[in-house]
Amino acid sequence: MSRLSGRRAEQGYTLIATAFALVGMIGMTGLAVDLGRMDVAKNETRTYADAAALRAALELDGTAGGFQRARDAVAQSPNR
């Protein structure tokens, strides 16, 4: 009789250990997805800022009109 109760206790422990491991693995997967999305967003922002800076730099010629054209070029940029 004691053998049977020992096996049931082991089966219960395995279920609990598996449940905790699964929760941890799902949490790590969620964290990896969130960090990956954050990295993508950071790279997109950097790319958009670089594109706007280059577009504005092409309009600069050292005059007040050039500065205004540069500001207008950034304001009209499709990357918002």
Side-chain angles (χ1 to χ4, degrees):
M1 196 70 157
S2 65
R3 288 175 131 184
L4 186 59
S5 64
R7 285 187 185 171
R8 286 187 182 180
E10 288 178 11
Q11 289 175 350
Y13 174 75
T14 303
L15 180 65
I16 292 170
T18 303
F20 280 126
L22 188 61
V23 168
M25 288 173 51
I26 290 172
M28 284 187 246
T29 303
L31 183 63
V33 169
D34 288 344
L35 291 176
R37 179 63 190 135
M38 189 171 63
D39 190 48
V40 168
K42 181 178 69 171
N43 286 336
E44 286 177 353
T45 304
R46 185 177 299 148
T47 301
Y48 294 152
D50 289 345
L54 287 173
R55 187 170 175 179
L58 291 173
E59 299 294 331
L60 293 175
D61 60 1
T63 64
F67 290 129
Q68 187 58 43
R69 284 192 308 274
R71 287 188 199 102
D72 292 341
V74 172
Q76 294 173 2
S77 175
N79 299 327
R80 289 182 175 226

Coordinates of all heavy atoms in Angstrom, one line a residue:
M1 N 0.8 -1.2 0.0 CA 0.0 0.0 0.0 C 0.9 1.3 0.0 O 0.5 2.2 -0.6 CB -0.9 -0.1 1.2 CG -2.0 0.9 1.2 SD -3.2 0.3 0.0 CE -4.6 1.1 0.6
S2 N 2.0 1.2 0.7 CA 2.8 2.4 0.7 C 3.5 2.7 -0.6 O 3.8 3.9 -0.9 CB 3.9 2.3 1.8 OG 4.8 1.2 1.5
R3 N 3.6 1.7 -1.5 CA 4.2 1.9 -2.8 C 3.2 2.7 -3.7 O 3.7 3.6 -4.4 CB 4.4 0.6 -3.5 CG 5.6 -0.2 -2.9 CD 5.6 -1.5 -3.6 NE 6.9 -1.8 -4.1 CZ 7.3 -2.8 -4.8 NH1 6.3 -3.7 -5.2 NH2 8.5 -3.0 -5.2
L4 N 2.0 2.5 -3.6 CA 1.0 3.2 -4.4 C 0.9 4.6 -4.0 O 0.9 5.5 -4.8 CB -0.4 2.5 -4.2 CG -1.5 3.0 -5.1 CD1 -1.1 2.9 -6.6 CD2 -2.8 2.3 -4.8
S5 N 0.9 4.9 -2.7 CA 0.8 6.3 -2.3 C 2.1 7.1 -2.6 O 2.0 8.3 -2.9 CB 0.5 6.4 -0.8 OG 1.6 5.9 -0.1
G6 N 3.2 6.4 -2.7 CA 4.5 7.1 -3.1 C 4.4 7.5 -4.6 O 4.9 8.6 -4.9
R7 N 3.9 6.6 -5.4 CA 3.8 6.9 -6.8 C 2.9 8.1 -7.1 O 3.1 8.9 -7.9 CB 3.3 5.7 -7.6 CG 4.4 4.7 -7.8 CD 3.9 3.6 -8.7 NE 4.9 2.6 -8.7 CZ 4.8 1.4 -9.3 NH1 3.6 1.1 -9.9 NH2 5.7 0.5 -9.3
R8 N 1.8 8.1 -6.4 CA 0.8 9.3 -6.6 C 1.5 10.6 -6.2 O 1.3 11.6 -6.8 CB -0.4 9.0 -5.8 CG -1.3 8.0 -6.4 CD -2.6 7.9 -5.7 NE -3.4 6.9 -6.3 CZ -4.6 6.5 -5.9 NH1 -5.2 7.2 -4.9 NH2 -5.3 5.6 -6.5
A9 N 2.3 10.6 -5.1 CA 2.9 11.8 -4.7 C 3.9 12.2 -5.7 O 4.1 13.4 -6.0 CB 3.6 11.5 -3.3
E10 N 4.6 11.3 -6.3 CA 5.6 11.6 -7.4 C 4.9 12.2 -8.6 O 5.4 13.2 -9.2 CB 6.4 10.4 -7.8 CG 7.4 10.0 -6.7 CD 8.2 8.8 -7.1 OE1 8.1 8.4 -8.3 OE2 8.9 8.2 -6.3
Q11 N 3.8 11.7 -9.0 CA 3.0 12.2 -10.1 C 2.5 13.6 -9.9 O 2.6 14.4 -10.7 CB 1.9 11.2 -10.4 CG 2.3 9.9 -11.0 CD 1.1 9.0 -11.2 OE1 0.0 9.2 -10.8 NE2 1.4 7.9 -11.9
G12 N 2.1 13.8 -8.7 CA 1.7 15.2 -8.3 C 2.8 16.2 -8.4 O 2.6 17.3 -8.8
Y13 N 4.0 15.8 -7.9 CA 5.1 16.6 -7.9 C 5.5 17.0 -9.4 O 5.9 18.1 -9.7 CB 6.3 16.0 -7.2 CG 7.6 16.8 -7.3 CD1 7.7 18.0 -6.6 CD2 8.6 16.4 -8.2 CE1 8.9 18.7 -6.7 CE2 9.7 17.2 -8.3 CZ 9.9 18.3 -7.6 OH 11.0 19.1 -7.7
T14 N 5.5 16.0 -10.2 CA 5.9 16.2 -11.6 C 4.9 17.2 -12.3 O 5.3 18.1 -13.1 CB 5.8 14.8 -12.4 OG1 6.7 13.9 -11.8 CG2 6.3 15.0 -13.8
L15 N 3.7 17.1 -12.0 CA 2.7 18.0 -12.6 C 2.9 19.4 -12.1 O 2.9 20.4 -12.9 CB 1.3 17.6 -12.2 CG 0.1 18.4 -12.7 CD1 0.1 18.3 -14.2 CD2 -1.2 18.0 -12.1
I16 N 3.2 19.6 -10.8 CA 3.5 20.9 -10.3 C 4.8 21.5 -10.9 O 4.8 22.7 -11.3 CB 3.5 20.9 -8.7 CG1 2.1 20.6 -8.2 CG2 4.1 22.2 -8.2 CD1 2.1 20.3 -6.7
A17 N 5.8 20.7 -11.0 CA 7.1 21.1 -11.5 C 6.9 21.5 -13.0 O 7.5 22.6 -13.4 CB 8.2 20.1 -11.4
T18 N 6.2 20.8 -13.7 CA 5.9 21.1 -15.1 C 5.2 22.4 -15.3 O 5.5 23.2 -16.1 CB 5.2 19.9 -15.8 OG1 5.9 18.7 -15.7 CG2 5.0 20.2 -17.3
A19 N 4.2 22.6 -14.4 CA 3.4 23.8 -14.5 C 4.3 25.0 -14.2 O 4.2 26.0 -14.9 CB 2.2 23.7 -13.5
F20 N 5.1 25.0 -13.2 CA 6.0 26.1 -12.9 C 7.0 26.3 -14.0 O 7.3 27.5 -14.4 CB 6.8 25.9 -11.6 CG 5.9 26.2 -10.4 CD1 5.8 25.2 -9.4 CD2 5.3 27.4 -10.2 CE1 5.0 25.5 -8.2 CE2 4.6 27.7 -9.1 CZ 4.4 26.7 -8.1
A21 N 7.5 25.3 -14.6 CA 8.5 25.4 -15.7 C 7.8 26.0 -16.9 O 8.3 26.9 -17.6 CB 9.1 24.1 -16.1
L22 N 6.5 25.6 -17.2 CA 5.8 26.2 -18.3 C 5.5 27.7 -18.1 O 5.7 28.5 -19.1 CB 4.5 25.4 -18.5 CG 3.7 25.7 -19.7 CD1 4.5 25.4 -21.0 CD2 2.4 24.9 -19.7
V23 N 5.2 28.0 -16.9 CA 4.9 29.5 -16.6 C 6.2 30.3 -16.8 O 6.2 31.4 -17.4 CB 4.4 29.7 -15.2 CG1 4.4 31.1 -14.8 CG2 3.0 29.1 -15.1
G24 N 7.3 29.8 -16.4 CA 8.6 30.4 -16.6 C 9.0 30.6 -18.0 O 9.4 31.6 -18.5
M25 N 8.8 29.5 -18.8 CA 9.1 29.5 -20.2 C 8.2 30.5 -21.0 O 8.7 31.2 -21.9 CB 9.0 28.1 -20.8 CG 10.1 27.2 -20.3 SD 9.9 25.5 -20.8 CE 9.6 25.6 -22.6
I26 N 6.9 30.5 -20.7 CA 6.0 31.5 -21.3 C 6.4 32.9 -21.0 O 6.4 33.8 -21.8 CB 4.6 31.2 -20.9 CG1 4.1 29.9 -21.6 CG2 3.6 32.3 -21.4 CD1 2.8 29.4 -21.2
G27 N 6.8 33.1 -19.7 CA 7.2 34.5 -19.3 C 8.5 34.9 -20.1 O 8.6 36.1 -20.5
M28 N 9.4 34.0 -20.2 CA 10.7 34.3 -20.9 C 10.4 34.6 -22.4 O 11.0 35.5 -23.0 CB 11.7 33.2 -20.8 CG 12.4 33.2 -19.4 SD 13.7 32.0 -19.4 CE 13.0 30.9 -18.2
T29 N 9.5 33.8 -23.0 CA 9.1 34.0 -24.4 C 8.5 35.4 -24.6 O 8.8 36.1 -25.5 CB 8.2 32.9 -24.9 OG1 8.8 31.7 -24.7 CG2 7.8 33.1 -26.3
G30 N 7.6 35.8 -23.7 CA 7.0 37.1 -23.7 C 8.0 38.2 -23.6 O 7.9 39.2 -24.3
L31 N 8.9 38.0 -22.7 CA 10.0 39.1 -22.5 C 10.8 39.2 -23.8 O 11.2 40.3 -24.2 CB 10.8 38.7 -21.3 CG 11.9 39.7 -21.0 CD1 11.3 41.0 -20.6 CD2 12.8 39.1 -19.8
A32 N 11.2 38.1 -24.4 CA 12.0 38.1 -25.6 C 11.2 38.8 -26.8 O 11.8 39.6 -27.5 CB 12.3 36.7 -26.1
V33 N 9.9 38.5 -26.9 CA 9.1 39.2 -27.9 C 9.0 40.7 -27.6 O 9.2 41.5 -28.5 CB 7.7 38.6 -28.0 CG1 6.8 39.5 -28.8 CG2 7.8 37.2 -28.5
D34 N 8.8 41.1 -26.4 CA 8.8 42.5 -26.0 C 10.1 43.2 -26.3 O 10.1 44.3 -26.8 CB 8.4 42.7 -24.6 CG 6.9 42.4 -24.3 OD1 6.1 42.3 -25.3 OD2 6.6 42.2 -23.1
L35 N 11.2 42.6 -25.9 CA 12.5 43.2 -26.2 C 12.8 43.3 -27.6 O 13.4 44.3 -28.1 CB 13.6 42.5 -25.4 CG 13.6 42.6 -23.9 CD1 14.6 41.7 -23.3 CD2 13.7 44.0 -23.4
G36 N 12.4 42.3 -28.4 CA 12.6 42.3 -29.8 C 11.8 43.4 -30.5 O 12.3 44.2 -31.4
R37 N 10.6 43.6 -30.1 CA 9.7 44.7 -30.6 C 10.3 46.1 -30.3 O 10.3 47.0 -31.1 CB 8.3 44.5 -30.1 CG 7.4 45.6 -30.6 CD 7.2 45.6 -32.1 NE 6.5 46.7 -32.6 CZ 6.8 47.5 -33.6 NH1 7.9 47.2 -34.3 NH2 6.1 48.5 -33.9
M38 N 10.8 46.2 -29.0 CA 11.4 47.4 -28.6 C 12.6 47.8 -29.5 O 12.8 48.9 -29.9 CB 11.8 47.4 -27.1 CG 12.2 48.7 -26.5 SD 12.4 48.6 -24.8 CE 13.7 47.5 -24.6
D39 N 13.4 46.8 -29.8 CA 14.6 47.0 -30.6 C 14.2 47.4 -32.1 O 14.8 48.3 -32.7 CB 15.4 45.7 -30.7 CG 16.8 45.9 -31.3 OD1 17.5 46.9 -31.0 OD2 17.2 45.1 -32.2
V40 N 13.2 46.8 -32.6 CA 12.7 47.1 -33.9 C 12.2 48.6 -33.9 O 12.5 49.4 -34.8 CB 11.6 46.2 -34.4 CG1 10.9 46.7 -35.6 CG2 12.1 44.8 -34.7
A41 N 11.4 49.0 -32.9 CA 10.9 50.3 -32.8 C 12.0 51.3 -32.7 O 12.0 52.4 -33.4 CB 10.0 50.5 -31.6
K42 N 13.1 51.0 -32.0 CA 14.2 51.9 -31.8 C 14.9 52.1 -33.2 O 15.3 53.2 -33.5 CB 15.2 51.4 -30.8 CG 16.4 52.3 -30.5 CD 17.3 51.7 -29.4 CE 18.0 50.5 -29.9 NZ 19.0 50.0 -29.0
N43 N 15.1 51.0 -33.9 CA 15.8 51.1 -35.2 C 14.9 51.9 -36.2 O 15.5 52.6 -37.0 CB 16.1 49.7 -35.7 CG 17.2 49.0 -34.9 OD1 18.1 49.7 -34.4 ND2 17.3 47.7 -34.9
E44 N 13.6 51.7 -36.2 CA 12.8 52.4 -37.1 C 12.8 53.9 -36.8 O 12.9 54.7 -37.7 CB 11.3 51.9 -37.0 CG 11.1 50.6 -37.6 CD 9.6 50.1 -37.4 OE1 8.9 50.8 -36.7 OE2 9.3 49.1 -38.0
T45 N 12.8 54.3 -35.5 CA 12.9 55.7 -35.1 C 14.2 56.3 -35.6 O 14.3 57.4 -36.1 CB 12.7 55.8 -33.6 OG1 11.5 55.2 -33.2 CG2 12.8 57.3 -33.2
R46 N 15.3 55.6 -35.4 CA 16.6 56.0 -35.8 C 16.6 56.2 -37.3 O 17.2 57.2 -37.8 CB 17.7 55.1 -35.4 CG 19.1 55.5 -35.7 CD 20.1 54.6 -35.1 NE 20.0 54.4 -33.7 CZ 20.3 53.3 -33.0 NH1 20.7 52.3 -33.7 NH2 20.1 53.3 -31.7
T47 N 16.1 55.3 -38.1 CA 16.1 55.4 -39.5 C 15.3 56.6 -40.0 O 15.7 57.3 -40.9 CB 15.5 54.1 -40.1 OG1 16.3 53.0 -39.7 CG2 15.5 54.1 -41.6
Y48 N 14.1 56.8 -39.4 CA 13.3 58.0 -39.8 C 14.0 59.3 -39.5 O 13.9 60.2 -40.3 CB 11.9 57.9 -39.1 CG 11.1 56.7 -39.5 CD1 10.1 56.2 -38.6 CD2 11.2 56.2 -40.7 CE1 9.3 55.1 -39.0 CE2 10.4 55.1 -41.1 CZ 9.4 54.6 -40.3 OH 8.7 53.5 -40.6
A49 N 14.6 59.3 -38.3 CA 15.3 60.6 -38.0 C 16.5 60.8 -38.9 O 16.7 62.0 -39.3 CB 15.8 60.5 -36.5
D50 N 17.2 59.8 -39.3 CA 18.3 59.9 -40.3 C 17.8 60.4 -41.6 O 18.4 61.2 -42.3 CB 19.1 58.6 -40.4 CG 19.9 58.3 -39.2 OD1 20.1 59.2 -38.3 OD2 20.3 57.1 -39.1
A51 N 16.7 59.8 -42.1 CA 16.1 60.2 -43.4 C 15.7 61.7 -43.4 O 15.9 62.4 -44.3 CB 14.9 59.3 -43.7
A52 N 15.1 62.1 -42.3 CA 14.7 63.5 -42.2 C 15.9 64.4 -42.2 O 15.9 65.5 -42.8 CB 13.8 63.7 -40.9
A53 N 16.9 64.0 -41.4 CA 18.1 64.9 -41.4 C 18.8 65.0 -42.8 O 19.3 66.1 -43.2 CB 19.1 64.3 -40.4
L54 N 18.9 63.9 -43.5 CA 19.5 63.9 -44.8 C 18.6 64.8 -45.8 O 19.2 65.5 -46.6 CB 19.6 62.5 -45.4 CG 20.7 61.7 -44.7 CD1 20.7 60.2 -45.2 CD2 22.1 62.3 -45.0
R55 N 17.3 64.6 -45.7 CA 16.4 65.4 -46.6 C 16.6 66.9 -46.3 O 16.6 67.7 -47.2 CB 15.0 65.0 -46.3 CG 14.1 65.6 -47.3 CD 12.7 64.9 -47.2 NE 11.8 65.7 -48.1 CZ 10.6 65.4 -48.3 NH1 10.0 64.3 -47.7 NH2 9.8 66.1 -49.1
A56 N 16.7 67.2 -45.0 CA 16.9 68.7 -44.7 C 18.3 69.2 -45.1 O 18.4 70.3 -45.5 CB 16.7 68.8 -43.1
A57 N 19.3 68.3 -44.9 CA 20.6 68.7 -45.3 C 20.8 69.0 -46.8 O 21.5 69.9 -47.2 CB 21.6 67.7 -44.9
L58 N 20.0 68.3 -47.6 CA 20.0 68.6 -49.0 C 19.5 69.9 -49.4 O 19.8 70.5 -50.5 CB 19.2 67.5 -49.8 CG 19.9 66.1 -49.8 CD1 18.9 65.1 -50.4 CD2 21.2 66.1 -50.5
E59 N 18.6 70.5 -48.6 CA 18.0 71.8 -48.8 C 18.9 73.0 -48.3 O 18.6 74.1 -48.7 CB 16.6 71.9 -48.2 CG 15.6 70.9 -48.7 CD 15.3 71.1 -50.1 OE1 15.3 72.2 -50.6 OE2 15.0 70.1 -50.8
L60 N 19.8 72.7 -47.5 CA 20.6 73.8 -46.9 C 21.6 74.4 -47.9 O 22.3 73.6 -48.6 CB 21.4 73.3 -45.7 CG 20.6 72.9 -44.5 CD1 21.5 72.3 -43.4 CD2 19.8 74.1 -43.9
D61 N 21.6 75.7 -48.0 CA 22.6 76.3 -48.9 C 23.2 77.6 -48.2 O 23.9 78.4 -48.8 CB 22.0 76.7 -50.2 CG 20.8 77.7 -50.1 OD1 20.5 78.1 -48.9 OD2 20.2 78.0 -51.1
G62 N 22.9 77.7 -46.9 CA 23.5 78.8 -46.1 C 22.7 80.1 -46.1 O 23.1 81.1 -45.5
T63 N 21.6 80.1 -46.7 CA 20.7 81.3 -46.7 C 19.5 81.0 -45.7 O 19.2 79.9 -45.4 CB 20.2 81.6 -48.1 OG1 19.4 80.6 -48.5 CG2 21.4 81.8 -49.0
A64 N 18.8 82.1 -45.4 CA 17.6 82.0 -44.6 C 16.6 81.2 -45.4 O 15.8 80.4 -44.7 CB 17.1 83.4 -44.3
G65 N 16.5 81.3 -46.6 CA 15.5 80.5 -47.4 C 15.9 79.1 -47.4 O 15.0 78.2 -47.4
G66 N 17.2 78.8 -47.4 CA 17.6 77.4 -47.3 C 17.2 76.7 -45.9 O 16.8 75.6 -45.9
F67 N 17.3 77.5 -44.9 CA 16.9 77.0 -43.6 C 15.4 76.7 -43.5 O 15.0 75.7 -43.0 CB 17.3 78.0 -42.4 CG 18.8 78.1 -42.2 CD1 19.4 79.3 -42.1 CD2 19.5 77.0 -42.0 CE1 20.7 79.4 -41.9 CE2 20.9 77.0 -41.7 CZ 21.5 78.3 -41.7
Q68 N 14.7 77.7 -44.1 CA 13.2 77.5 -44.2 C 12.8 76.2 -45.0 O 11.9 75.5 -44.7 CB 12.5 78.7 -44.7 CG 11.0 78.6 -44.6 CD 10.5 78.4 -43.1 OE1 11.0 79.0 -42.2 NE2 9.6 77.5 -43.0
R69 N 13.5 76.1 -46.2 CA 13.2 74.9 -47.0 C 13.6 73.6 -46.3 O 12.9 72.6 -46.4 CB 14.0 75.0 -48.3 CG 13.4 76.0 -49.3 CD 14.0 75.8 -50.7 NE 15.5 75.9 -50.7 CZ 16.2 77.0 -50.7 NH1 15.7 78.2 -50.8 NH2 17.6 76.9 -50.8
A70 N 14.6 73.6 -45.5 CA 15.0 72.5 -44.7 C 14.0 72.1 -43.7 O 13.6 71.0 -43.5 CB 16.4 72.7 -44.0
R71 N 13.4 73.2 -43.0 CA 12.4 72.9 -42.0 C 11.1 72.4 -42.7 O 10.5 71.5 -42.2 CB 12.1 74.2 -41.3 CG 13.1 74.6 -40.3 CD 12.6 75.8 -39.4 NE 13.8 76.5 -38.8 CZ 14.3 77.6 -39.2 NH1 13.8 78.2 -40.3 NH2 15.4 78.1 -38.6
D72 N 10.8 73.0 -43.8 CA 9.6 72.5 -44.6 C 9.8 71.1 -45.1 O 8.8 70.3 -45.1 CB 9.4 73.4 -45.8 CG 8.9 74.8 -45.4 OD1 8.5 75.0 -44.2 OD2 9.0 75.7 -46.2
A73 N 11.0 70.7 -45.5 CA 11.3 69.3 -46.0 C 11.1 68.3 -44.8 O 10.5 67.3 -45.0 CB 12.7 69.2 -46.5
V74 N 11.5 68.7 -43.6 CA 11.3 67.8 -42.5 C 9.8 67.7 -42.1 O 9.3 66.6 -41.8 CB 12.1 68.2 -41.3 CG1 11.8 67.4 -40.0 CG2 13.6 68.1 -41.6
A75 N 9.1 68.8 -42.2 CA 7.7 68.9 -41.8 C 6.9 68.1 -42.8 O 5.9 67.5 -42.4 CB 7.2 70.3 -41.7
Q76 N 7.3 68.0 -44.1 CA 6.5 67.3 -45.1 C 7.0 65.8 -45.2 O 6.5 65.1 -46.1 CB 6.7 68.0 -46.4 CG 6.0 69.4 -46.4 CD 6.3 70.1 -47.7 OE1 7.0 69.6 -48.6 NE2 5.8 71.3 -47.8
S77 N 7.9 65.4 -44.4 CA 8.4 64.1 -44.5 C 7.3 63.1 -44.2 O 6.5 63.2 -43.3 CB 9.5 63.9 -43.5 OG 9.9 62.5 -43.5
P78 N 7.2 62.0 -45.0 CA 6.1 61.0 -44.8 C 6.4 60.1 -43.6 O 5.5 59.4 -43.2 CB 6.1 60.2 -46.1 CG 7.5 60.3 -46.6 CD 8.0 61.7 -46.2
N79 N 7.6 60.1 -43.1 CA 8.0 59.3 -42.0 C 7.6 60.0 -40.6 O 8.5 60.6 -40.1 CB 9.5 59.0 -42.0 CG 9.8 58.2 -43.3 OD1 9.0 57.5 -43.8 ND2 11.0 58.5 -43.8
R80 N 6.4 59.8 -40.2 CA 6.0 60.4 -38.9 C 5.8 59.4 -37.9 O 5.2 58.4 -38.1 CB 4.8 61.3 -39.1 CG 5.1 62.5 -39.9 CD 3.9 63.4 -40.1 NE 4.4 64.6 -40.8 CZ 4.1 65.8 -40.4 NH1 3.3 66.0 -39.4 NH2 4.5 66.8 -41.1

